[in-house]
Amino acid sequence: MQKDKFSSGRIAVSDEFQEVFSHFYFAENNSDITFTKKLLPSYQTIMIFSFGESAYIHSEGDENIEVEKCIVLGPIKKAFDYSQPAGNTILVANFKDDAFYRFFGSAALAENLPIDPNDLMSENCFTALWHKLNGIENKEEQVECILEFCRPYLRKRNPVTGQLIELKNTAYNPIKKVADETKQSERAIQLTHKKQLGYSAKEINRYLRFLKAIEMMQDIACRTSKNDWFEIVGECGYYDQSQLINDFKYYINLTPARYLKLQCSICNPVG
């Protein structure tokens, strides 16, 4: 079967890079057909290396964006479709928290629009990196090559950003808490958050609520054929089922029930 000739997986990183990359993802299409999947939002910036035949990203405006060698997207705030034709392989670096800012000095890239990473640096080094990776067959060795390439460019983490990251899943209002602790205005902390992480605290709180809903739905679906929507609404902090549905349509343009039916064709970068 053609599906048996499509392989994908995740590659973990060493402790040295745990706060830089969440993981690397690879997908290889050795079949005779094109595979199209939907990538869920992750609020991470990603760098995609494409080998063999070009991969394609399908934007909201029905534009097909060719991924010939290497592009940057993010932070990924809404789902999008991507296609891998026969003979294509992708390797995706998933930058964690402020890591992209620490490499390139900016996290506020155009959402879901590709950028050539060479345009972010003064030298055409990513084209050279792609050619080096293209000569390596083993995926783990490719990842090691990327990590080695990254070492000289990585800056130290801003202490304020470190506090915001630590509080991301624990504090109701991390902006106010960090502002009080650092004796800075809330506005200044908000600007730091947006500049170095690529999104506001309000945006990430809404996304984390949506992510919790997805995780609960999948957990319930493993135990029973019927979802308890009222349980999900209550546990995740939604006002009602309508607000839950609105979030699903906003992030992935699907209803919750439709999402469950299409899980096999959806790539969850944080799942």
Side-chain angles (χ1 to χ4, degrees):
M1 293 178 63
Q2 295 287 358
K3 286 187 177 180
D4 295 335
K5 297 181 180 180
F6 183 91
S7 61
S8 64
R10 295 179 176 220
I11 301 173
V13 296
S14 63
D15 291 344
E16 179 186 358
F17 288 94
Q18 282 293 311
E19 69 174 29
V20 180
F21 299 102
S22 61
H23 65 283
F24 284 76
Y25 171 81
F26 70 88
E28 189 170 16
N29 184 5
N30 291 315
S31 73
D32 298 326
I33 62 175
T34 296
F35 282 87
T36 298
K37 291 196 172 189
K38 184 182 292 291
L39 179 71
L40 291 186
S42 64
Y43 273 71
Q44 293 176 299
T45 298
I46 63 174
M47 182 177 292
I48 305 173
F49 294 93
S50 177
F51 307 99
E53 296 296 321
S54 296
Y56 285 88
I57 292 168
H58 311 295
S59 68
E60 287 185 319
D62 293 328
E63 180 185 3
N64 292 328
I65 301 167
E66 183 177 8
V67 186
E68 185 181 2
K69 287 185 173 65
C70 181
I71 64 168
V72 170
L73 294 170
I76 308 299
K77 298 181 181 180
K78 291 188 178 182
F80 64 84
D81 294 339
Y82 67 95
S83 296
Q84 289 186 253
N88 173 259
T89 298
I90 59 171
L91 179 64
V92 184
N94 292 267
F95 290 93
K96 191 174 179 180
D97 297 322
D98 63 334
F100 192 83
Y101 174 85
R102 292 168 62 190
F103 278 113
F104 298 105
S106 175
L109 298 175
E111 296 159 30
N112 293 349
L113 291 178
I115 292 178
D116 185 336
N118 288 306
D119 294 340
L120 301 172
M121 305 186 76
S122 58
E123 50 192 283
N124 200 34
C125 53
F126 282 94
T127 297
L129 175 61
W130 181 89
H131 281 288
K132 189 171 183 180
L133 294 173
N134 195 39
I136 302 174
E137 293 187 9
N138 183 277
K139 302 295 188 299
E140 285 77 10
E141 290 181 10
Q142 284 184 322
V143 169
E144 286 301 317
C145 180
I146 294 172
L147 297 180
E148 188 63 33
F149 169 84
C150 289
R151 277 193 179 92
Y153 298 99
L154 188 62
R155 310 172 191 180
K156 289 185 178 180
R157 170 172 285 170
N158 181 314
V160 171
T161 308
Q163 287 179 270
L164 289 169
I165 292 168
E166 288 179 9
L167 293 170
K168 185 168 63 175
N169 294 308
T170 58
Y172 176 73
N173 189 344
I175 299 294
K176 185 178 187 309
K177 185 173 177 61
V178 173
D180 290 342
E181 290 179 354
T182 60
K183 302 189 185 310
Q184 297 184 51
S185 69
E186 290 188 31
R187 178 60 178 162
I189 301 302
Q190 287 171 344
L191 290 173
T192 297
H193 194 295
K194 182 73 173 180
K195 180 181 179 181
Q196 299 200 19
L197 298 178
Y199 46 79
S200 68
K202 184 177 180 180
E203 284 180 284
I204 194 63
N205 285 338
R206 180 184 180 184
Y207 168 71
L208 291 174
R209 180 181 64 182
F210 162 75
L211 192 62
K212 183 177 179 180
I214 279 187
E215 291 170 347
M216 278 196 68
M217 283 171 52
Q218 292 173 329
D219 181 56
I220 293 173
C222 289
R223 294 184 275 110
T224 177
S225 60
K226 187 176 181 180
N227 262 294
D228 186 340
W229 298 114
F230 292 105
E231 179 185 356
I232 295 170
V233 166
E235 285 290 324
C236 298
Y238 286 99
Y239 294 121
D240 52 30
Q241 190 173 340
S242 175
Q243 190 185 28
L244 170 68
I245 293 172
N246 285 339
D247 263 11
F248 269 76
K249 289 184 176 179
Y250 173 80
Y251 286 115
I252 61 177
N253 199 29
L254 295 171
T255 64
R258 186 68 175 159
Y259 165 77
L260 285 176
K261 290 181 179 179
L262 296 176
Q263 283 188 79
C264 291
S265 63
I266 293 176
C267 177
N268 187 347
V270 295

